[in-house]
Amino acid sequence: MSERRTVGVGLVGLGTIGTGVAKVIQQNAAVIEQRLGVPLRLVRIADLDLETDRGVDLSGIRFDSDTPGLISDPEVDIVIELVGGYDFARDLILKAIDAGKHVVTANKALLALHGKQIFDAALKRGVDVAFEASVGGGIPILRSLREGFAANRILSLHGIMNGTTNYVLTEMEKTGELFDVVLKRAQDLGYAEADPTFDVDGIDAAHKLTLLAAMAYGAAITFEEIPTEGIRALTPFDFEAADEFGYRIKLLGIAKGHGRDAERIEARVHPTLVSKGSLLANVDGAMNAVAVTGDAVGRTLSYGAGAGEMPTASAVVGDLIELAREVLRESSGRVAPLSYLPEELVPKPIVPLDELYGRAYLRFTMLDRPGVFGHIASVLGENEIGIESVIQKGRGGSFDSVPVLMQTYPSKESALRSALEIIDGLEDVTAPTVHIRVEEDL
Ligand code: HSE
């Protein structure tokens, strides 16, 4: 162990999370030193905006726009990338690695797309890249998968992994407000990505699932392969009907292994009906939770704030402390970043959605006149889709379109899709049918 008196940190990106990182390092300096053995010192910060008052004391910290200078500064042992996005972030991470610095990032989008390049470069240079804050905000779910669950074959993973959408779903259900109104509130609270379509279209959750699937199954899947659906199409009718059928609606990232060695995997992100009694159904607001079932450990649930300044900063600074230990020991590579050794990460086929089997919730929009429902019911019957329950909302005094809300018995998704293709082509069906899968395995 070296005789160093401090470990130096350089932070690139003083936005919401970066500000939280500066606060945590300052507020918890004493307890961090008690755990690390030396002080963790924020040596310098780089950002383009040098004017805005972030409400954090930056005295004693060099603060300018000089990212190359920060990376090459001999007092900086660990570089934190919190700028987000792809090109600039990737370039700065690769330069930091090249300069022999350990790196902490929260950039799940970058890692989901370019993780291999970054992890390979770090391995070659003998430094580590830590990214706990990229999934589950403050919940240490990556460390759990890499180390705590390392003895297990993972049977399934179900995660509420996007705080913005979980906040929007919870508020829409509670208040009956419109999607756009609630989304704006989530953005104001600092939960959303710079581009909120990443949140509401399920892309952010799919980025995170790419990383989790690699860690759970050694599956080198690409983000683009993950079937992904967002929450834009949901209306108050869906929340009311879900409630009557005994469910709540959550945007889940789901991964499951098929076969003894998970030769194929399920990996998908979509709004899901989960039984009201399940733990995940009761994860509200911007909270995240990841349920992992392992063959030895059984069912587990990790729960905590999935977004926001201080919870995410907690994960970033946790990574800093872990890497600072590596700096002190002059070591690296204690645990493979994606849990599996790089040569054990292999491409695995993703089970097509058509092969899924389960209940479904359907919202039909149809003209309110005699015979239309009978027509739909017979198309479903011809495709062997059984109807478990139906709610029809009353008409407003005309033959206008009305929603008909249905729960099916378990069926093969390929059959359901064939039926919906026919139904959506019917003259009296006035909008595409909304289909939400039910997940019983929770
Ligand atoms: N936009 C993300 C979310 C931030 O809402 O969960 C945390 O990754």
Side-chain angles (χ1 to χ4, degrees), residues 108 134 161-164 191-193 199 204 208 306-307:
K108 54 265 168 172
S134 63
M161 300 187 291
N162 183 270
T164 303
Y191 301 148
E193 294 300 303
D199 298 296
D204 176 70
K208 292 165 177 169

Side-chain angles (χ1 to χ4, degrees), residues 120-343:
D120 285 351
L123 183 66
K124 207 164 146 208
R125 188 64 179 80
V127 295
D128 285 320
V129 176
F131 49 102
E132 185 63 66
S134 63
V135 181
I139 311 169
I141 183 62
L142 303 189
R143 202 163 276 120
S144 294
L145 272 173
R146 260 195 309 251
E147 304 191 43
F149 298 134
N152 289 263
R153 286 192 308 117
I154 305 298
L155 305 178
S156 67
L157 181 151
H158 295 84
I160 294 174
M161 300 187 291
N162 183 270
T164 303
T165 45
N166 204 48
Y167 177 84
V168 169
L169 294 175
T170 307
E171 289 286 298
M172 283 180 75
E173 181 187 44
K174 204 167 69 189
T175 65
E177 285 175 307
L178 293 175
F179 170 79
D180 288 338
V181 175
V182 183
L183 174 62
K184 171 78 175 58
R185 204 150 67 233
Q187 287 176 287
D188 291 346
L189 288 166
Y191 301 148
E193 294 300 303
D195 178 353
T197 61
F198 274 31
D199 298 296
V200 298
D201 291 336
I203 297 165
D204 176 70
H207 286 146
K208 292 165 177 169
L209 191 65
T210 309
L211 298 171
L212 293 179
M215 289 184 169
Y217 296 109
I221 55 171
T222 63
F223 150 74
E224 291 86 356
E225 290 176 273
I226 296 181
T228 301
E229 296 163 23
I231 64 165
R232 283 181 206 269
L234 300 179
T235 67
F237 289 126
D238 302 317
F239 293 95
E240 283 171 37
D243 183 54
E244 287 191 39
F245 294 144
Y247 299 105
R248 297 187 73 197
I249 305 175
K250 295 292 173 191
L251 182 73
L252 291 192
I254 299 172
K256 296 180 192 175
H258 283 222
R260 174 76 176 70
D261 295 316
E263 293 85 1
R264 296 197 305 158
I265 63 163
E266 274 178 52
R268 48 196 166 96
V269 171
H270 51 74
T272 312
L273 293 196
V274 293
S275 167
K276 276 188 210 172
S278 68
L279 289 170
L280 283 182
N282 292 289
V283 173
D284 284 338
M287 303 308 275
N288 279 195
V290 183
V292 176
T293 304
D295 64 343
V297 71
R299 281 172 191 258
T300 67
L301 183 79
S302 305
Y303 168 88
E309 178 185 356
M310 296 304 270
T312 311
S314 162
V316 171
V317 180
D319 277 350
L320 282 178
I321 295 167
E322 181 176 319
L323 295 186
R325 293 190 179 113
E326 304 280 30
V327 172
L328 294 172
R329 283 175 175 71
E330 295 171 356
S331 66
S332 69
R334 187 180 65 85
V335 187
L338 292 172
S339 186
Y340 285 72
L341 296 177
E343 62 274 22

Side-chain angles (χ1 to χ4, degrees), residues 12 48 65 67-68 81 83-93 110:
V12 186
L48 292 178
S65 304
T67 301
E81 179 278 305
V83 290
Y86 299 100
D87 295 341
F88 182 81
R90 175 168 55 165
D91 188 53
L92 98 80
I93 288 175
L110 178 66

Side-chain angles (χ1 to χ4, degrees), residues 321-368:
I321 295 167
E322 181 176 319
L323 295 186
R325 293 190 179 113
E326 304 280 30
V327 172
L328 294 172
R329 283 175 175 71
E330 295 171 356
S331 66
S332 69
R334 187 180 65 85
V335 187
L338 292 172
S339 186
Y340 285 72
L341 296 177
E343 62 274 22
E344 302 291 345
L345 282 166
V346 293
K348 295 195 176 193
I350 293 184
V351 175
L353 293 176
D354 268 352
E355 286 187 32
L356 299 181
Y357 183 84
R359 286 187 164 78
Y361 161 83
L362 303 171
R363 168 164 43 88
F364 301 104
T365 308
M366 61 179 81
L367 291 180
D368 190 12

